[in-house]
Amino acid sequence: MAEDHGSSRNMSMSMSQKELGDEDARAVRVGDAARTNERLEFAGNAVRTAKYSPFTFLPRNLFEQFHRLAYVYFLAIAVLNQLPQLAVFGRGASVMPLAFVLTVTAVKDAYEDWRRHRADRAENNRLAAVLSTVPGAGAAEYVPTKWKDVRVGDIVRVAANESPPADMVLLATSDTTGVAYVQTLNLDGESNLKTRYAKQETLTTRVEHLAGAAVIRCERPNRNIYGFQANLELQEESRRIPLGPSNIVLRGCDLKNTAWAVGVVVYAGRETKAMLNNAGTPTKRSRLETHMNRETLFLSGILIVLCSLVAALSGVWLRTHATQLELAQFFHKKDYLNSDKENSNYNYYGIAAQIVFNFLMAVIVFQIMIPISLYISMELVRLGQAYFMIRDARLYDASSDSRFQCRALNINEDLGQVKCIFSDKTGTLTQNKMEFRCASIDGVDYSDITRQRPVEGDLAWVPKVPVNVDREVMALVRNVGATEQGRYTREFFIALATCNTIVPLILDGPDPKKKVIDYQGESPDEQALVSAAAAYGFVLVERTSGHIVIDVLGEKQRFDVLGLHEFDSDRKRMSVIIGCPDKTVKLFVKGADSSMFGIIDKTLNPDVVQATEKHLHSYSSVGLRTLVIGVRELTQTEFLEWQMAYERASTALLGRGNLLRSVAANIERNMRLLGASGIEDKLQDGVPEAIEKLRQAEIKVWVLTGDKQETAISIGYSCKLLTQDMTQIVINSNSRESCRRSLDDAISMVHKLRSLSTDSQSRVPLALIIDGNSLVYIFDDTEREEKLFEVAIACDVVLCCRVAPLQKAGIVDLIKKRTSDMTLAIGDGANDVSMIQMADVGIGISGQEGRQAVMASDFAMGQFRFLVPLLLVHGHWNYQRMGYMILYNFYRNATFVFVLFCARRITT
């Protein structure tokens, strides 16, 4: 179910690959910046995003501009024209065109960099409240300090709606439980609020007393905005207190719904995660411009041939008229004006030297064979093309009020050459607005839409997102003690309300008697599930660092959160240990069916397991995203053993990630199956029509998704990517040998169908469906890669399921390396970034999963259907107009050069 979202949250978790060791730890003394930075090993907090400095601008800018081969050519021509023997034009005139182009580009670059310098100054001079000891008084107070003067180890106080000046570990907040709410919109584009916590050990101590009495040992700076490993050591505590991602607030976040928060700076300046992730827009070169470089070399070869002919013919003429040079009309061998030097040569160095000079002079005369004005014209044309695309009403998304963004001007014309599109599914083909549709509880299917209706009655709590409820399920939860099915149903919705990281926000609605609850969270799936639980009467109304409060059918009950294992892409599930009001301790787990059925005890209720598997298959077949929910009651011994193991793992500096996964695996076993849920992610408007038009334009569309195979196939049929007349080739392998056999069988099928097809009209359309597990074995071996390429290139559609972010990039690279087809990747989440950057053209969608895809893209837009006007209209005209202009410039200048060449031969 949540593979797409889970991978988007975990794609950058590089610290799981390289665990924190003692040699990698850095010590931060809380409130003692002087001792923390006494060896000057930590960066200051001043940031610099500007590219140049006043001293480096000229050499660096010129170096970058001369990466264009034509500029080197024009520079060589200008240098040759400065020599007296070769001066064809005025010395200044030969330099002016190149100097003009370089100057215009340099002025543009300088202006852009000046704006970056101005933004840097404004950022560095913002004020922060830093705890400082008052001289003489011995007391401490918060002093306004410029951001650039904040150092690692400083204690900083941040007020509501403010941003922290650096990455800081929370020590205290205005909430008595230590909760702070942050919005990471400026960091990763996600607008949902996220919870961060201060440790209880620091909450109970005055911040002034922590200064100098606490040390944080944390990992070295890295780009992973979702990961953090550290330990807190207090003088009065004998044990290490573990710190994780939920305890750090990053630079670029905004503090929301919290009056104030106090933290200690652990990363500053260029070492903050925001700055480490500030890679800027990726630079890609237009394929047309690359082709132009080859044309430039070809024209240079023609130029050399022409100049060689001129030089050779001039040599013949000089030898033929060797005795007549003194009287030649345009050539004087003798210097008649200098009477002191008899027979002294004037502008004559012998036939060999004259041939060389004539060759170089011809190069200068014929230099316009390669037009320097073409590069200026291309930039102006691209600017106009970008304006047309941005102002096109067909590319405007009214739902998000967003226009088309052209983030890379230099590849506009590549849009008209795309032959293969790689698309994400969730949030790109679908809306990524999840809606709870049905559930299977204790083996009973509740998916009959005829029984569903809006919530009725006088409710005290109303979820912001309305959910239709099943009348039969509603009757079961209201008569909880009547039947065993009712008890299971109640426990199912308790699991939905507790097993999550959702933050409830209480809002005032139009009816003063009803409170509207807005559920904020990082996963749209979790929001849909918690909203569904609220609609059935299990309303999550409060969350703190240690407990949650659920309104159960009108009665508020407190559930203690004793432990939490968050979702990760390895386990593909999350779990929470809850202390229930009846004093029992329960473990609730939810996750993908591929992961959950491995930890379900199938001997407890085999009939329920079998029925649930059947229901999951039917849900997936109609395109629903599925989740499986399980529960297990823990004994006191089991809980204490888990608690000790979790504490050891969470305080380990070496291999903490692996240890925590091991602890989770040990406790997540022998689960009792509660049921499963089906969530609908609707198609975006116009997706089927867009795919059909792209296919008519002979553009292949491949879908790369993290969803399960049945869900992906169902969506494929819904959006007309798959059709009933297609022959499907399915590769699902669990070993290298079975993968090899599957590929061989697929190749045999392709060859057989090709032999049966006599022409293109009667050819049987093929669709390749492959899972991520098979791709693991394929990408391990070059031979298997070649076989996959042979199969994939013969298919009309390729559908990759359960794929990781790097596998998406691997699929794109498979086609890029082996064909000359222009590739385009489109996605909306952080798990699509690698694919977008790998493709020739990357497009980001402003969706529900943040703006990381947009920030890494070349172009950005609001809907998948906009690809049709973008590629088939703008792309076509961009390529055609640019191609015509380049050809016109080359032909015009070549004609002029050949006229000069013929005239020079006639003169000779």
Side-chain angles (χ1 to χ4, degrees):
M1 179 289 310
E3 285 79 9
D4 270 358
H5 178 75
S7 56
S8 70
R9 288 180 55 195
N10 294 283
M11 66 165 294
S12 60
M13 294 210 173
S14 56
M15 281 309 297
S16 296
Q17 303 168 5
K18 182 176 185 288
E19 302 293 351
L20 181 64
D22 289 328
E23 69 279 0
D24 296 321
R26 66 189 305 185
V28 177
R29 300 183 183 276
V30 177
D32 195 346
R35 293 182 62 191
T36 300
N37 296 270
E38 60 185 355
R39 291 187 295 169
L40 301 177
E41 59 176 312
F42 301 141
N45 201 42
V47 296
R48 182 174 181 270
T49 60
K51 192 174 183 179
Y52 309 105
S53 71
F55 300 103
T56 63
F57 174 76
L58 190 61
R60 186 173 178 183
N61 187 262
L62 289 176
F63 176 77
E64 291 177 353
Q65 290 198 60
F66 276 104
H67 273 73
R68 274 182 169 169
L69 189 60
Y71 286 6
V72 178
Y73 165 79
F74 293 123
L75 178 63
I77 296 295
V79 171
L80 288 177
N81 202 67
Q82 303 307 307
L83 302 177
Q85 297 86 352
L86 306 177
V88 177
F89 308 110
R91 296 181 179 179
S94 63
V95 178
M96 284 181 61
L98 179 61
F100 176 75
V101 174
L102 294 175
T103 302
V104 169
T105 306
V107 169
K108 176 180 71 72
D109 293 342
Y111 174 70
E112 292 177 352
D113 206 59
W114 172 78
R115 293 178 61 185
R116 285 191 285 264
H117 275 288
R118 185 176 62 178
D120 289 344
R121 283 195 297 270
E123 184 82 357
N124 291 329
N125 289 326
R126 292 174 65 179
L127 296 179
V130 177
L131 188 68
S132 178
T133 303
V134 179
E141 63 179 18
Y142 291 99
V143 178
T145 305
K146 291 183 178 180
W147 278 26
K148 64 182 180 181
D149 298 325
V150 174
R151 296 182 296 170
V152 174
D154 280 336
I155 296 176
V156 179
R157 188 178 191 271
V158 181
N161 301 317
E162 289 184 352
S163 300
D167 296 350
M168 65 182 201
V169 169
L170 285 180
L171 300 177
T173 71
S174 57
D175 188 274
T176 54
T177 62
V179 177
Y181 301 106
V182 298
Q183 187 180 62
T184 59
L185 186 65
N186 296 326
L187 190 63
D188 61 7
E190 296 183 2
S191 58
N192 294 329
L193 295 185
K194 301 173 179 62
T195 53
R196 297 294 182 263
Y197 305 95
K199 286 293 184 178
Q200 294 296 323
E201 291 81 357
T202 60
L203 277 175
T204 56
T205 307
R206 289 179 59 87
V207 174
E208 295 84 352
H209 297 163
L210 288 173
V215 176
I216 293 176
R217 300 190 184 277
C218 59
E219 62 191 4
R220 294 190 181 276
N222 61 79
R223 295 182 179 181
N224 181 13
I225 62 175
Y226 298 112
F228 177 68
Q229 292 187 15
N231 289 327
L232 174 64
E233 299 174 1
L234 298 175
Q235 286 184 353
E236 63 273 14
E237 289 280 345
S238 59
R239 63 184 182 90
R240 289 177 172 178
I241 302 167
L243 301 173
S246 62
N247 306 121
I248 188 171
V249 178
L250 304 181
R251 179 175 181 150
C253 298
D254 293 322
L255 191 66
K256 298 290 185 181
N257 294 358
T258 307
W260 54 265
V262 174
V264 56
V265 174
V266 290
Y267 306 124
R270 65 177 183 274
E271 294 181 344
T272 58
K273 294 181 183 291
M275 292 303 299
L276 290 174
N277 279 279
N278 186 23
T281 305
T283 56
K284 299 177 182 179
R285 295 188 62 191
S286 163
R287 186 168 294 185
L288 195 59
E289 190 170 325
T290 304
H291 185 71
M292 268 183 57
N293 278 343
R294 293 197 296 268
E295 293 296 324
T296 300
L297 292 174
F298 176 72
L299 292 174
S300 299
I302 295 178
L303 184 65
I304 291 173
V305 172
L306 294 179
C307 295
S308 298
L309 284 174
V310 169
L313 291 174
S314 68
V316 173
W317 187 90
L318 286 172
R319 181 171 293 278
T320 304
H321 300 81
T323 59
Q324 304 173 17
L325 293 180
E326 296 179 13
L327 303 176
Q329 185 177 2
F330 300 105
F331 202 102
H332 297 281
K333 181 177 180 181
K334 300 295 183 181
D335 187 356
Y336 297 103
L337 299 179
N338 192 345
S339 57
D340 296 335
K341 297 182 179 179
E342 185 177 356
N343 296 331
S344 60
N345 290 335
Y346 166 69
N347 199 26
Y348 185 75
Y349 302 92
I351 291 179
Q354 288 301 134
I355 290 175
V356 174
F357 291 156
N358 284 334
F359 175 84
L360 296 177
M361 290 170 67
V363 171
I364 297 173
V365 172
F366 299 156
Q367 65 174 304
I368 57 172
M369 176 71 82
I370 301 169
I372 191 171
S373 60
L374 174 60
Y375 290 93
I376 301 175
S377 302
M378 288 176 65
E379 295 301 326
L380 294 176
V381 168
R382 284 168 174 160
L383 193 62
Q385 291 171 348
Y387 174 79
F388 286 138
M389 289 188 289
I390 292 170
R391 301 304 300 176
D392 190 349
R394 290 171 298 181
L395 301 180
Y396 171 74
D397 183 26
S399 61
S400 60
D401 191 26
S402 61
R403 290 193 176 274
F404 182 83
Q405 297 179 42
C406 186
R407 297 171 54 84
L409 283 174
N410 58 331
I411 59 173
N412 291 351
E413 58 271 17
D414 283 351
L415 293 169
Q417 305 174 72
V418 172
K419 300 293 289 183
C420 191
I421 295 175
F422 301 89
S423 174
D424 177 41
K425 182 186 76 66
T426 305
T428 304
L429 299 178
T430 61
Q431 297 180 15
N432 200 19
K433 293 181 179 178
M434 309 302 175
E435 182 179 345
F436 184 87
R437 300 295 297 170
C438 56
S440 170
I441 304 174
D442 196 40
V444 180
D445 181 20
Y446 299 102
S447 60
D448 188 355
I449 60 173
T450 60
R451 296 199 306 257
Q452 295 181 1
R453 62 184 180 183
V455 181
E456 298 176 352
D458 189 15
L459 303 175
W461 309 94
V462 179
K464 186 178 180 180
V465 179
V467 179
N468 290 335
V469 297
D470 187 294
R471 287 176 293 178
E472 184 176 337
V473 176
M474 185 63 76
L476 285 172
V477 297
R478 288 180 177 174
N479 300 293
V480 62
T483 63
E484 185 178 4
Q485 183 67 20
R487 290 193 295 273
Y488 287 143
T489 303
R490 178 184 184 278
E491 196 168 26
F492 176 83
F493 286 110
I494 287 290
L496 296 187
T498 56
C499 191
N500 58 74
T501 57
I502 290 294
V503 178
L505 299 181
I506 310 300
L507 308 175
D508 292 328
D511 187 347
K513 295 182 180 179
K514 295 182 178 180
K515 294 293 185 180
V516 177
I517 300 185
D518 182 15
Y519 289 118
Q520 297 284 328
E522 300 180 31
S523 167
D525 300 275
E526 285 192 342
Q527 290 174 299
L529 293 174
V530 177
S531 296
Y536 282 100
F538 299 82
V539 187
L540 176 63
V541 296
E542 181 184 340
R543 175 179 294 277
T544 70
S545 60
H547 72 272
I548 56 177
V549 176
I550 300 177
D551 186 297
V552 180
L553 302 174
E555 178 187 356
K556 285 189 177 181
Q557 298 182 11
R558 169 173 168 154
F559 294 81
D560 294 323
V561 181
L562 305 177
L564 175 69
H565 291 283
E566 293 190 1
F567 180 94
D568 65 65
S569 56
D570 294 327
R571 291 163 47 245
K572 296 182 180 179
R573 58 182 180 264
M574 74 165 292
S575 60
V576 60
I577 298 178
I578 296 294
C580 299
D582 59 0
K583 305 304 180 183
T584 60
V585 177
K586 291 183 178 181
L587 170 68
F588 293 105
V589 185
K590 70 176 181 184
D593 56 349
S594 60
S595 138
M596 288 294 296
F597 281 115
I599 63 173
I600 295 292
D601 188 350
K602 297 181 181 180
T603 61
L604 291 177
N605 42 11
D607 294 337
V608 172
V609 173
Q610 186 175 3
T612 304
E613 288 178 332
K614 181 180 178 181
H615 299 157
L616 284 169
H617 186 272
S618 65
Y619 296 168
S620 300
S621 300
V622 294
L624 299 182
R625 295 161 64 89
T626 56
L627 263 180
V628 176
I629 295 95
V631 65
R632 180 162 72 96
E633 185 172 336
L634 301 180
T635 65
Q636 190 67 19
T637 302
E638 287 177 320
F639 172 70
L640 291 177
E641 288 178 354
W642 169 87
Q643 191 176 43
M644 294 175 60
Y646 183 83
E647 185 174 334
R648 285 195 302 269
S650 60
T651 56
L653 281 179
L654 183 62
R656 179 185 295 185
N658 289 330
L659 289 173
L660 286 174
R661 282 189 288 272
S662 177
V663 171
N666 288 335
I667 195 71
E668 294 169 351
R669 54 185 173 83
N670 301 327
M671 306 299 296
R672 175 169 61 85
L673 179 62
L674 276 177
S677 63
I679 301 173
E680 182 180 12
D681 188 6
K682 295 182 179 179
L683 283 178
Q684 291 185 7
D685 295 336
V687 168
E689 295 80 6
I691 290 179
E692 184 63 28
K693 289 179 180 178
L694 292 171
R695 180 175 292 154
Q696 291 174 3
E698 297 185 358
I699 299 175
K700 291 185 177 181
V701 179
W702 294 19
V703 174
L704 316 178
T705 177
D707 271 341
K708 62 186 299 185
Q709 183 172 301
E710 293 83 357
T711 303
I713 291 175
S714 176
I715 293 294
Y717 280 114
S718 301
C719 66
K720 296 185 179 179
L721 183 72
L722 299 174
T723 57
Q724 296 296 337
D725 61 340
M726 282 185 175
T727 299
Q728 295 183 5
I729 301 174
V730 181
I731 300 178
N732 293 331
S733 304
N734 295 316
S735 67
R736 288 179 174 83
E737 183 61 27
S738 64
C739 182
R740 184 190 60 79
R741 288 197 302 267
S742 298
L743 287 172
D744 290 338
D745 293 342
I747 292 174
S748 300
M749 180 182 291
V750 168
H751 290 164
K752 180 180 179 181
L753 293 175
R754 278 180 177 174
S755 64
L756 296 176
S757 303
T758 56
D759 54 58
S760 59
Q761 297 296 327
S762 62
R763 188 177 66 85
V764 178
L766 298 175
L768 173 64
I769 301 170
I770 187 169
D771 66 346
N773 198 37
S774 301
L775 291 175
V776 171
Y777 304 122
I778 290 173
F779 288 144
D780 277 346
D781 183 73
T782 305
E783 182 182 354
R784 286 192 286 269
E785 282 188 17
E786 291 293 342
K787 291 181 179 180
L788 174 62
F789 171 74
E790 183 178 350
V791 175
I793 207 67
C795 295
D796 302 88
V797 173
V798 177
L799 187 59
C800 301
C801 316
R802 304 281 197 182
V803 289
L806 289 180
Q807 289 178 328
K808 291 184 178 184
I811 292 291
V812 177
D813 192 45
L814 184 75
I815 300 302
K816 278 186 64 177
K817 282 183 177 179
R818 293 168 174 82
T819 68
S820 59
D821 292 345
M822 182 73 69
T823 58
L824 181 148
I826 180 170
D828 74 317
N831 59 332
D832 303 315
V833 169
S834 55
M835 173 179 72
I836 287 172
Q837 292 180 335
M838 178 61 70
D840 296 304
V841 179
I843 296 182
I845 295 232
S846 305
Q848 301 293 313
E849 293 192 18
R851 293 179 56 85
Q852 285 184 322
V854 171
M855 291 186 289
S857 66
D858 306 305
F859 305 95
M861 57 189 188
Q863 299 283 331
F864 179 87
R865 69 176 187 273
F866 295 163
L867 277 180
V868 174
L870 179 65
L871 301 184
L872 305 186
V873 179
H874 288 288
H876 169 74
W877 285 113
N878 290 351
Y879 180 64
Q880 189 179 72
R881 288 165 176 165
M882 187 68 75
Y884 282 166
M885 189 197 69
I886 292 172
L887 289 175
Y888 166 74
N889 276 269
F890 279 145
Y891 283 133
R892 179 197 64 192
N893 288 31
T895 302
F896 186 47
V897 167
F898 276 103
V899 169
L900 286 176
F901 174 73
C902 294
R904 193 171 180 87
R905 287 186 61 189
I906 293 172
T907 302
T908 304

